[in-house]
Each structure stands twice: as structure tokens, then as C-alpha cells.
């Protein structure tokens, strides 16, 4: 979620911008990646930048293997 109740300071090691080399998103993952990015935009988690920025960071797209497993949780209640 989003809040304006707190501010988080981010300490940098240097004030110099750092750009990473562009790494393309694999073709077979582009549509799903766009869906996820559109959802993040919709909920205000990320925002679009329409101007050049000296800071550029790639996203790392990894396909997760999901295996259906039942996980049993046990809780010991204190009396």
C-alpha cells in the first residue's frame, strides 16, 4: 500500500548517477511483464518517467516455478 504518514531516507554512497547496461526482456516474458507493470502503475506502486534520467536500472525478470504443495502450520497456544 501507500502512505504519506512516514518518509524513508535513502542514504547513497555517492551523489554520482549510475546507469546500467540495457538488458532486454525475453520475448516470451514481455506480455506478462507488461501486465504486471501496468498493475503496479494502476495501484501507484511505481510511476512512469517520461523524461531522460541519469539513473537507470534494469528489472530482472525470472520465471518462477510454482508447485502446488500443502503446508501444515501448527501453533502452540499459551494458556
Amino acid at each position: 500500500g501507500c502512505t504519506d504518514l512516514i518518509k524513508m531516507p535513502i542514504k547513497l554512497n555517492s551523489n554520482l548517477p549510475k546507469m546500467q547496461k540495457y538488458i532486454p526482456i525475453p520475448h516470451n516474458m514481455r506480455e506478462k511483464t507488461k501486465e504486471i507493470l501496468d498493475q503496479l502503475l494502476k495501484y501507484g506502486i511505481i510511476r512512469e518517467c517520461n523524461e531522460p534520467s541519469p539513473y537507470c536500472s534494469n528489472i530482472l525478470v525470472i520465471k518462477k516455478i510454482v508447485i502446488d504443495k500443502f503446508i501444515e502450520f501448527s501453533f502452540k497456544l499459551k494458556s
Side-chain angles (χ1 to χ4, degrees):
C2 298
T3 182
D4 60 356
L5 300 177
I6 62 169
K7 291 194 179 212
M8 185 177 94
I10 299 174
K11 295 181 182 181
L12 303 175
N13 294 332
S14 169
N15 288 334
L16 298 174
K18 183 170 184 170
M19 288 186 74
Q20 295 178 348
K21 181 182 173 191
Y22 174 71
I23 300 172
I25 297 171
H27 286 283
N28 63 335
M29 300 182 87
R30 287 185 183 177
E31 187 175 327
K32 184 64 178 173
T33 302
K34 183 175 179 353
E35 289 174 18
I36 293 169
L37 290 174
D38 287 343
Q39 187 178 23
L40 294 173
L41 276 168
K42 177 182 174 183
Y43 291 110
I45 296 169
I46 62 172
R47 62 181 173 181
E48 192 169 347
C49 179
N50 294 319
E51 55 190 47
S53 172
Y55 298 93
C56 179
S57 182
N58 290 302
I59 61 171
L60 181 60
V61 180
I62 299 173
K63 186 173 183 175
K64 260 181 133 173
I65 298 173
V66 178
I67 300 171
D68 288 359
K69 288 186 178 180
F70 290 101
I71 301 173
E72 184 180 318
F73 291 98
S74 61
F75 297 94
K76 189 172 188 178
L77 298 175
K78 292 183 181 179
S79 51

